PDB file of all heavy atoms in Angstrom:
ATOM      1  N   TYR A   1     104.655 -74.471  62.662  1.00  0.00           N
ATOM      2  CA  TYR A   1     104.458 -74.235  61.231  1.00  0.00           C
ATOM      3  C   TYR A   1     105.091 -75.312  60.343  1.00  0.00           C
ATOM      4  O   TYR A   1     105.794 -75.012  59.388  1.00  0.00           O
ATOM      5  CB  TYR A   1     104.981 -72.848  60.844  1.00  0.00           C
ATOM      6  CG  TYR A   1     104.366 -71.732  61.637  1.00  0.00           C
ATOM      7  CD1 TYR A   1     105.124 -70.963  62.518  1.00  0.00           C
ATOM      8  CD2 TYR A   1     103.002 -71.450  61.532  1.00  0.00           C
ATOM      9  CE1 TYR A   1     104.539 -69.942  63.272  1.00  0.00           C
ATOM     10  CE2 TYR A   1     102.422 -70.434  62.275  1.00  0.00           C
ATOM     11  CZ  TYR A   1     103.191 -69.692  63.140  1.00  0.00           C
ATOM     12  OH  TYR A   1     102.622 -68.685  63.889  1.00  0.00           O
ATOM     13  N   GLY A   2     104.822 -76.555  60.666  1.00  0.00           N
ATOM     14  CA  GLY A   2     105.321 -77.655  59.836  1.00  0.00           C
ATOM     15  C   GLY A   2     104.394 -77.910  58.657  1.00  0.00           C
ATOM     16  O   GLY A   2     103.760 -78.973  58.572  1.00  0.00           O
ATOM     17  N   SER A   3     104.320 -76.987  57.719  1.00  0.00           N
ATOM     18  CA  SER A   3     103.365 -77.098  56.608  1.00  0.00           C
ATOM     19  C   SER A   3     103.563 -78.387  55.814  1.00  0.00           C
ATOM     20  O   SER A   3     104.665 -78.690  55.362  1.00  0.00           O
ATOM     21  CB  SER A   3     103.531 -75.905  55.661  1.00  0.00           C
ATOM     22  OG  SER A   3     103.270 -74.692  56.328  1.00  0.00           O
ATOM     23  N   GLY A   4     102.476 -79.147  55.660  1.00  0.00           N
ATOM     24  CA  GLY A   4     102.535 -80.402  54.917  1.00  0.00           C
ATOM     25  C   GLY A   4     103.080 -81.567  55.701  1.00  0.00           C
ATOM     26  O   GLY A   4     103.295 -82.649  55.147  1.00  0.00           O
ATOM     27  N   ILE A   5     103.295 -81.402  56.989  1.00  0.00           N
ATOM     28  CA  ILE A   5     104.000 -82.414  57.767  1.00  0.00           C
ATOM     29  C   ILE A   5     103.184 -83.688  57.960  1.00  0.00           C
ATOM     30  O   ILE A   5     103.734 -84.754  58.245  1.00  0.00           O
ATOM     31  CB  ILE A   5     104.449 -81.816  59.121  1.00  0.00           C
ATOM     32  CG1 ILE A   5     105.640 -82.586  59.674  1.00  0.00           C
ATOM     33  CG2 ILE A   5     103.287 -81.722  60.103  1.00  0.00           C
ATOM     34  CD1 ILE A   5     106.371 -81.860  60.790  1.00  0.00           C
ATOM     35  N   HIS A   6     101.871 -83.612  57.783  1.00  0.00           N
ATOM     36  CA  HIS A   6     101.037 -84.809  57.888  1.00  0.00           C
ATOM     37  C   HIS A   6     101.475 -85.865  56.881  1.00  0.00           C
ATOM     38  O   HIS A   6     101.384 -87.066  57.163  1.00  0.00           O
ATOM     39  CB  HIS A   6      99.563 -84.440  57.662  1.00  0.00           C
ATOM     40  CG  HIS A   6      98.626 -85.605  57.704  1.00  0.00           C
ATOM     41  ND1 HIS A   6      98.168 -86.140  58.885  1.00  0.00           N
ATOM     42  CD2 HIS A   6      98.076 -86.353  56.701  1.00  0.00           C
ATOM     43  CE1 HIS A   6      97.369 -87.156  58.618  1.00  0.00           C
ATOM     44  NE2 HIS A   6      97.290 -87.301  57.298  1.00  0.00           N
ATOM     45  N   HIS A   7     101.942 -85.434  55.717  1.00  0.00           N
ATOM     46  CA  HIS A   7     102.335 -86.374  54.668  1.00  0.00           C
ATOM     47  C   HIS A   7     103.857 -86.488  54.515  1.00  0.00           C
ATOM     48  O   HIS A   7     104.338 -87.062  53.532  1.00  0.00           O
ATOM     49  CB  HIS A   7     101.738 -85.942  53.330  1.00  0.00           C
ATOM     50  CG  HIS A   7     100.255 -86.114  53.248  1.00  0.00           C
ATOM     51  ND1 HIS A   7      99.363 -85.069  53.440  1.00  0.00           N
ATOM     52  CD2 HIS A   7      99.498 -87.219  53.023  1.00  0.00           C
ATOM     53  CE1 HIS A   7      98.122 -85.522  53.307  1.00  0.00           C
ATOM     54  NE2 HIS A   7      98.169 -86.812  53.063  1.00  0.00           N
ATOM     55  N   ALA A   8     104.606 -85.962  55.460  1.00  0.00           N
ATOM     56  CA  ALA A   8     106.070 -85.961  55.325  1.00  0.00           C
ATOM     57  C   ALA A   8     106.671 -87.310  55.703  1.00  0.00           C
ATOM     58  O   ALA A   8     106.154 -88.029  56.554  1.00  0.00           O
ATOM     59  CB  ALA A   8     106.668 -84.878  56.195  1.00  0.00           C
ATOM     60  N   GLU A   9     107.788 -87.619  55.066  1.00  0.00           N
ATOM     61  CA  GLU A   9     108.603 -88.782  55.450  1.00  0.00           C
ATOM     62  C   GLU A   9     109.864 -88.341  56.190  1.00  0.00           C
ATOM     63  O   GLU A   9     110.419 -89.095  56.966  1.00  0.00           O
ATOM     64  CB  GLU A   9     108.987 -89.564  54.190  1.00  0.00           C
ATOM     65  CG  GLU A   9     107.795 -90.160  53.483  1.00  0.00           C
ATOM     66  CD  GLU A   9     108.056 -90.449  52.024  1.00  0.00           C
ATOM     67  OE1 GLU A   9     108.590 -89.567  51.319  1.00  0.00           O
ATOM     68  OE2 GLU A   9     107.716 -91.556  51.583  1.00  0.00           O
ATOM     69  N   TRP A  10     110.284 -87.099  55.906  1.00  0.00           N
ATOM     70  CA  TRP A  10     111.440 -86.517  56.577  1.00  0.00           C
ATOM     71  C   TRP A  10     111.052 -85.153  57.122  1.00  0.00           C
ATOM     72  O   TRP A  10     110.192 -84.478  56.553  1.00  0.00           O
ATOM     73  CB  TRP A  10     112.632 -86.400  55.624  1.00  0.00           C
ATOM     74  CG  TRP A  10     113.226 -87.721  55.268  1.00  0.00           C
ATOM     75  CD1 TRP A  10     112.867 -88.539  54.243  1.00  0.00           C
ATOM     76  CD2 TRP A  10     114.262 -88.403  55.980  1.00  0.00           C
ATOM     77  NE1 TRP A  10     113.612 -89.681  54.250  1.00  0.00           N
ATOM     78  CE2 TRP A  10     114.483 -89.634  55.308  1.00  0.00           C
ATOM     79  CE3 TRP A  10     115.028 -88.101  57.100  1.00  0.00           C
ATOM     80  CZ2 TRP A  10     115.437 -90.546  55.730  1.00  0.00           C
ATOM     81  CZ3 TRP A  10     115.980 -89.014  57.527  1.00  0.00           C
ATOM     82  CH2 TRP A  10     116.182 -90.213  56.850  1.00  0.00           C
ATOM     83  N   VAL A  11     111.699 -84.759  58.195  1.00  0.00           N
ATOM     84  CA  VAL A  11     111.391 -83.500  58.871  1.00  0.00           C
ATOM     85  C   VAL A  11     112.625 -82.592  58.835  1.00  0.00           C
ATOM     86  O   VAL A  11     113.755 -83.054  59.004  1.00  0.00           O
ATOM     87  CB  VAL A  11     110.953 -83.749  60.326  1.00  0.00           C
ATOM     88  CG1 VAL A  11     110.661 -82.436  61.043  1.00  0.00           C
ATOM     89  CG2 VAL A  11     109.718 -84.649  60.356  1.00  0.00           C
ATOM     90  N   HIS A  12     112.374 -81.318  58.639  1.00  0.00           N
ATOM     91  CA  HIS A  12     113.399 -80.280  58.470  1.00  0.00           C
ATOM     92  C   HIS A  12     113.215 -79.302  59.631  1.00  0.00           C
ATOM     93  O   HIS A  12     112.179 -78.649  59.725  1.00  0.00           O
ATOM     94  CB  HIS A  12     113.141 -79.658  57.091  1.00  0.00           C
ATOM     95  CG  HIS A  12     113.544 -78.249  56.856  1.00  0.00           C
ATOM     96  ND1 HIS A  12     114.559 -77.917  55.989  1.00  0.00           N
ATOM     97  CD2 HIS A  12     113.035 -77.065  57.288  1.00  0.00           C
ATOM     98  CE1 HIS A  12     114.654 -76.596  55.905  1.00  0.00           C
ATOM     99  NE2 HIS A  12     113.747 -76.060  56.690  1.00  0.00           N
ATOM    100  N   SER A  13     114.185 -79.257  60.558  1.00  0.00           N
ATOM    101  CA  SER A  13     113.999 -78.499  61.803  1.00  0.00           C
ATOM    102  C   SER A  13     115.204 -77.600  62.081  1.00  0.00           C
ATOM    103  O   SER A  13     116.342 -78.084  62.127  1.00  0.00           O
ATOM    104  CB  SER A  13     113.804 -79.450  62.988  1.00  0.00           C
ATOM    105  OG  SER A  13     112.712 -80.313  62.779  1.00  0.00           O
ATOM    106  N   GLY A  14     114.955 -76.319  62.294  1.00  0.00           N
ATOM    107  CA  GLY A  14     116.022 -75.391  62.634  1.00  0.00           C
ATOM    108  C   GLY A  14     116.344 -75.431  64.117  1.00  0.00           C
ATOM    109  O   GLY A  14     115.448 -75.516  64.957  1.00  0.00           O
ATOM    110  N   CYS A  15     117.643 -75.352  64.435  1.00  0.00           N
ATOM    111  CA  CYS A  15     118.087 -75.402  65.833  1.00  0.00           C
ATOM    112  C   CYS A  15     119.188 -74.377  66.089  1.00  0.00           C
ATOM    113  O   CYS A  15     120.133 -74.253  65.297  1.00  0.00           O
ATOM    114  CB  CYS A  15     118.641 -76.792  66.183  1.00  0.00           C
ATOM    115  SG  CYS A  15     117.437 -78.126  66.204  1.00  0.00           S
ATOM    116  N   PHE A  16     119.082 -73.665  67.212  1.00  0.00           N
ATOM    117  CA  PHE A  16     120.192 -72.862  67.692  1.00  0.00           C
ATOM    118  C   PHE A  16     121.269 -73.790  68.239  1.00  0.00           C
ATOM    119  O   PHE A  16     120.973 -74.778  68.927  1.00  0.00           O
ATOM    120  CB  PHE A  16     119.731 -71.927  68.814  1.00  0.00           C
ATOM    121  CG  PHE A  16     118.821 -70.824  68.369  1.00  0.00           C
ATOM    122  CD1 PHE A  16     117.471 -70.821  68.724  1.00  0.00           C
ATOM    123  CD2 PHE A  16     119.296 -69.760  67.606  1.00  0.00           C
ATOM    124  CE1 PHE A  16     116.630 -69.794  68.334  1.00  0.00           C
ATOM    125  CE2 PHE A  16     118.458 -68.728  67.206  1.00  0.00           C
ATOM    126  CZ  PHE A  16     117.123 -68.746  67.566  1.00  0.00           C
ATOM    127  N   VAL A  17     122.510 -73.467  67.945  1.00  0.00           N
ATOM    128  CA  VAL A  17     123.636 -74.257  68.461  1.00  0.00           C
ATOM    129  C   VAL A  17     123.984 -73.765  69.867  1.00  0.00           C
ATOM    130  O   VAL A  17     124.096 -72.557  70.107  1.00  0.00           O
ATOM    131  CB  VAL A  17     124.856 -74.138  67.533  1.00  0.00           C
ATOM    132  CG1 VAL A  17     126.064 -74.851  68.129  1.00  0.00           C
ATOM    133  CG2 VAL A  17     124.528 -74.706  66.148  1.00  0.00           C
ATOM    134  N   THR A  18     124.135 -74.697  70.786  1.00  0.00           N
ATOM    135  CA  THR A  18     124.529 -74.373  72.160  1.00  0.00           C
ATOM    136  C   THR A  18     125.776 -75.163  72.537  1.00  0.00           C
ATOM    137  O   THR A  18     126.181 -76.086  71.833  1.00  0.00           O
ATOM    138  CB  THR A  18     123.408 -74.704  73.162  1.00  0.00           C
ATOM    139  OG1 THR A  18     123.319 -76.137  73.315  1.00  0.00           O
ATOM    140  CG2 THR A  18     122.066 -74.156  72.710  1.00  0.00           C
ATOM    141  N   ASP A  19     126.358 -74.801  73.688  1.00  0.00           N
ATOM    142  CA  ASP A  19     127.405 -75.644  74.247  1.00  0.00           C
ATOM    143  C   ASP A  19     126.752 -76.701  75.129  1.00  0.00           C
ATOM    144  O   ASP A  19     125.517 -76.815  75.191  1.00  0.00           O
ATOM    145  CB  ASP A  19     128.444 -74.807  75.009  1.00  0.00           C
ATOM    146  CG  ASP A  19     127.843 -74.071  76.212  1.00  0.00           C
ATOM    147  OD1 ASP A  19     126.723 -74.420  76.662  1.00  0.00           O
ATOM    148  OD2 ASP A  19     128.500 -73.143  76.721  1.00  0.00           O
ATOM    149  N   GLN A  20     127.558 -77.478  75.848  1.00  0.00           N
ATOM    150  CA  GLN A  20     127.017 -78.569  76.648  1.00  0.00           C
ATOM    151  C   GLN A  20     126.132 -78.082  77.796  1.00  0.00           C
ATOM    152  O   GLN A  20     125.287 -78.831  78.297  1.00  0.00           O
ATOM    153  CB  GLN A  20     128.158 -79.432  77.193  1.00  0.00           C
ATOM    154  CG  GLN A  20     128.935 -80.173  76.113  1.00  0.00           C
ATOM    155  CD  GLN A  20     128.046 -81.089  75.274  1.00  0.00           C
ATOM    156  OE1 GLN A  20     127.216 -81.806  75.803  1.00  0.00           O
ATOM    157  NE2 GLN A  20     128.226 -81.059  73.957  1.00  0.00           N
ATOM    158  N   ASP A  21     126.314 -76.829  78.191  1.00  0.00           N
ATOM    159  CA  ASP A  21     125.520 -76.286  79.294  1.00  0.00           C
ATOM    160  C   ASP A  21     124.283 -75.533  78.815  1.00  0.00           C
ATOM    161  O   ASP A  21     123.572 -74.924  79.621  1.00  0.00           O
ATOM    162  CB  ASP A  21     126.383 -75.340  80.139  1.00  0.00           C
ATOM    163  CG  ASP A  21     127.540 -76.071  80.803  1.00  0.00           C
ATOM    164  OD1 ASP A  21     127.335 -77.223  81.246  1.00  0.00           O
ATOM    165  OD2 ASP A  21     128.647 -75.493  80.856  1.00  0.00           O
ATOM    166  N   GLY A  22     124.030 -75.558  77.509  1.00  0.00           N
ATOM    167  CA  GLY A  22     122.852 -74.900  76.976  1.00  0.00           C
ATOM    168  C   GLY A  22     123.041 -73.445  76.618  1.00  0.00           C
ATOM    169  O   GLY A  22     122.066 -72.757  76.297  1.00  0.00           O
ATOM    170  N   ASN A  23     124.266 -72.944  76.662  1.00  0.00           N
ATOM    171  CA  ASN A  23     124.539 -71.552  76.301  1.00  0.00           C
ATOM    172  C   ASN A  23     124.618 -71.411  74.781  1.00  0.00           C
ATOM    173  O   ASN A  23     125.363 -72.144  74.124  1.00  0.00           O
ATOM    174  CB  ASN A  23     125.855 -71.087  76.929  1.00  0.00           C
ATOM    175  CG  ASN A  23     125.824 -71.172  78.439  1.00  0.00           C
ATOM    176  OD1 ASN A  23     124.915 -70.662  79.085  1.00  0.00           O
ATOM    177  ND2 ASN A  23     126.821 -71.852  79.013  1.00  0.00           N
ATOM    178  N   MET A  24     123.866 -70.460  74.251  1.00  0.00           N
ATOM    179  CA  MET A  24     123.851 -70.282  72.805  1.00  0.00           C
ATOM    180  C   MET A  24     125.207 -69.822  72.300  1.00  0.00           C
ATOM    181  O   MET A  24     125.890 -69.041  72.940  1.00  0.00           O
ATOM    182  CB  MET A  24     122.753 -69.299  72.398  1.00  0.00           C
ATOM    183  CG  MET A  24     121.359 -69.887  72.505  1.00  0.00           C
ATOM    184  SD  MET A  24     120.030 -68.742  72.066  1.00  0.00           S
ATOM    185  CE  MET A  24     120.555 -68.150  70.486  1.00  0.00           C
ATOM    186  N   GLN A  25     125.556 -70.299  71.114  1.00  0.00           N
ATOM    187  CA  GLN A  25     126.825 -69.971  70.483  1.00  0.00           C
ATOM    188  C   GLN A  25     126.594 -68.946  69.371  1.00  0.00           C
ATOM    189  O   GLN A  25     125.550 -68.953  68.708  1.00  0.00           O
ATOM    190  CB  GLN A  25     127.464 -71.235  69.919  1.00  0.00           C
ATOM    191  CG  GLN A  25     127.721 -72.317  70.972  1.00  0.00           C
ATOM    192  CD  GLN A  25     128.698 -71.846  72.039  1.00  0.00           C
ATOM    193  OE1 GLN A  25     129.890 -71.706  71.775  1.00  0.00           O
ATOM    194  NE2 GLN A  25     128.191 -71.593  73.243  1.00  0.00           N
ATOM    195  N   PHE A  26     127.595 -68.077  69.175  1.00  0.00           N
ATOM    196  CA  PHE A  26     127.445 -66.983  68.226  1.00  0.00           C
ATOM    197  C   PHE A  26     128.596 -66.976  67.230  1.00  0.00           C
ATOM    198  O   PHE A  26     129.716 -67.396  67.532  1.00  0.00           O
ATOM    199  CB  PHE A  26     127.386 -65.639  68.964  1.00  0.00           C
ATOM    200  CG  PHE A  26     126.197 -65.521  69.876  1.00  0.00           C
ATOM    201  CD1 PHE A  26     126.257 -65.972  71.192  1.00  0.00           C
ATOM    202  CD2 PHE A  26     125.013 -64.971  69.411  1.00  0.00           C
ATOM    203  CE1 PHE A  26     125.159 -65.870  72.031  1.00  0.00           C
ATOM    204  CE2 PHE A  26     123.905 -64.865  70.240  1.00  0.00           C
ATOM    205  CZ  PHE A  26     123.975 -65.318  71.554  1.00  0.00           C
ATOM    206  N   GLY A  27     128.290 -66.479  66.011  1.00  0.00           N
ATOM    207  CA  GLY A  27     129.303 -66.357  64.976  1.00  0.00           C
ATOM    208  C   GLY A  27     130.127 -65.103  65.140  1.00  0.00           C
ATOM    209  O   GLY A  27     129.921 -64.303  66.058  1.00  0.00           O
ATOM    210  N   GLU A  28     131.054 -64.891  64.209  1.00  0.00           N
ATOM    211  CA  GLU A  28     131.976 -63.756  64.292  1.00  0.00           C
ATOM    212  C   GLU A  28     131.241 -62.417  64.233  1.00  0.00           C
ATOM    213  O   GLU A  28     131.675 -61.440  64.847  1.00  0.00           O
ATOM    214  CB  GLU A  28     132.999 -63.834  63.155  1.00  0.00           C
ATOM    215  CG  GLU A  28     133.965 -65.010  63.277  1.00  0.00           C
ATOM    216  CD  GLU A  28     134.972 -65.036  62.148  1.00  0.00           C
ATOM    217  OE1 GLU A  28     134.928 -64.110  61.298  1.00  0.00           O
ATOM    218  OE2 GLU A  28     135.796 -65.958  62.111  1.00  0.00           O
ATOM    219  N   ALA A  29     130.122 -62.375  63.515  1.00  0.00           N
ATOM    220  CA  ALA A  29     129.381 -61.116  63.397  1.00  0.00           C
ATOM    221  C   ALA A  29     128.377 -60.928  64.537  1.00  0.00           C
ATOM    222  O   ALA A  29     127.621 -59.957  64.537  1.00  0.00           O
ATOM    223  CB  ALA A  29     128.663 -61.070  62.054  1.00  0.00           C
ATOM    224  N   GLY A  30     128.393 -61.852  65.480  1.00  0.00           N
ATOM    225  CA  GLY A  30     127.518 -61.723  66.634  1.00  0.00           C
ATOM    226  C   GLY A  30     126.153 -62.360  66.494  1.00  0.00           C
ATOM    227  O   GLY A  30     125.324 -62.279  67.402  1.00  0.00           O
ATOM    228  N   GLN A  31     125.872 -62.993  65.352  1.00  0.00           N
ATOM    229  CA  GLN A  31     124.574 -63.623  65.152  1.00  0.00           C
ATOM    230  C   GLN A  31     124.597 -65.046  65.737  1.00  0.00           C
ATOM    231  O   GLN A  31     125.639 -65.690  65.775  1.00  0.00           O
ATOM    232  CB  GLN A  31     124.220 -63.674  63.664  1.00  0.00           C
ATOM    233  CG  GLN A  31     124.937 -64.752  62.863  1.00  0.00           C
ATOM    234  CD  GLN A  31     126.365 -64.419  62.493  1.00  0.00           C
ATOM    235  OE1 GLN A  31     126.913 -63.423  62.952  1.00  0.00           O
ATOM    236  NE2 GLN A  31     126.966 -65.245  61.665  1.00  0.00           N
ATOM    237  N   PRO A  32     123.452 -65.551  66.206  1.00  0.00           N
ATOM    238  CA  PRO A  32     123.423 -66.911  66.740  1.00  0.00           C
ATOM    239  C   PRO A  32     123.799 -67.933  65.669  1.00  0.00           C
ATOM    240  O   PRO A  32     123.461 -67.774  64.491  1.00  0.00           O
ATOM    241  CB  PRO A  32     121.957 -67.092  67.169  1.00  0.00           C
ATOM    242  CG  PRO A  32     121.417 -65.716  67.300  1.00  0.00           C
ATOM    243  CD  PRO A  32     122.149 -64.878  66.304  1.00  0.00           C
ATOM    244  N   LYS A  33     124.496 -68.974  66.073  1.00  0.00           N
ATOM    245  CA  LYS A  33     124.778 -70.078  65.166  1.00  0.00           C
ATOM    246  C   LYS A  33     123.545 -70.969  65.071  1.00  0.00           C
ATOM    247  O   LYS A  33     122.921 -71.301  66.080  1.00  0.00           O
ATOM    248  CB  LYS A  33     125.979 -70.886  65.657  1.00  0.00           C
ATOM    249  CG  LYS A  33     127.306 -70.168  65.541  1.00  0.00           C
ATOM    250  CD  LYS A  33     128.461 -71.087  65.932  1.00  0.00           C
ATOM    251  CE  LYS A  33     129.803 -70.397  65.751  1.00  0.00           C
ATOM    252  NZ  LYS A  33     130.933 -71.293  66.113  1.00  0.00           N
ATOM    253  N   ILE A  34     123.200 -71.339  63.850  1.00  0.00           N
ATOM    254  CA  ILE A  34     121.998 -72.129  63.594  1.00  0.00           C
ATOM    255  C   ILE A  34     122.352 -73.271  62.651  1.00  0.00           C
ATOM    256  O   ILE A  34     123.134 -73.086  61.708  1.00  0.00           O
ATOM    257  CB  ILE A  34     120.898 -71.260  62.949  1.00  0.00           C
ATOM    258  CG1 ILE A  34     120.523 -70.092  63.869  1.00  0.00           C
ATOM    259  CG2 ILE A  34     119.654 -72.084  62.606  1.00  0.00           C
ATOM    260  CD1 ILE A  34     119.687 -69.019  63.171  1.00  0.00           C
ATOM    261  N   ILE A  35     121.784 -74.442  62.894  1.00  0.00           N
ATOM    262  CA  ILE A  35     121.891 -75.534  61.937  1.00  0.00           C
ATOM    263  C   ILE A  35     120.487 -75.989  61.552  1.00  0.00           C
ATOM    264  O   ILE A  35     119.531 -75.806  62.310  1.00  0.00           O
ATOM    265  CB  ILE A  35     122.705 -76.736  62.474  1.00  0.00           C
ATOM    266  CG1 ILE A  35     122.062 -77.331  63.730  1.00  0.00           C
ATOM    267  CG2 ILE A  35     124.156 -76.339  62.721  1.00  0.00           C
ATOM    268  CD1 ILE A  35     122.701 -78.660  64.163  1.00  0.00           C
ATOM    269  N   VAL A  36     120.369 -76.550  60.362  1.00  0.00           N
ATOM    270  CA  VAL A  36     119.106 -77.121  59.900  1.00  0.00           C
ATOM    271  C   VAL A  36     119.256 -78.634  59.908  1.00  0.00           C
ATOM    272  O   VAL A  36     120.167 -79.187  59.282  1.00  0.00           O
ATOM    273  CB  VAL A  36     118.746 -76.616  58.495  1.00  0.00           C
ATOM    274  CG1 VAL A  36     117.416 -77.217  58.044  1.00  0.00           C
ATOM    275  CG2 VAL A  36     118.675 -75.098  58.481  1.00  0.00           C
ATOM    276  N   CYS A  37     118.379 -79.288  60.652  1.00  0.00           N
ATOM    277  CA  CYS A  37     118.478 -80.721  60.916  1.00  0.00           C
ATOM    278  C   CYS A  37     117.427 -81.495  60.133  1.00  0.00           C
ATOM    279  O   CYS A  37     116.334 -80.991  59.866  1.00  0.00           O
ATOM    280  CB  CYS A  37     118.274 -80.982  62.406  1.00  0.00           C
ATOM    281  SG  CYS A  37     119.372 -80.028  63.470  1.00  0.00           S
TER     282      CYS A  37
END
């Protein structure tokens, strides 16, 4: 769902945060940690 991406110069992508082994990381409330790249 990259709407408008044909004409984009920059890309905005959400990512789950993991450790070095690929294990997802969670916040204090138990929700996955996410960054927008």
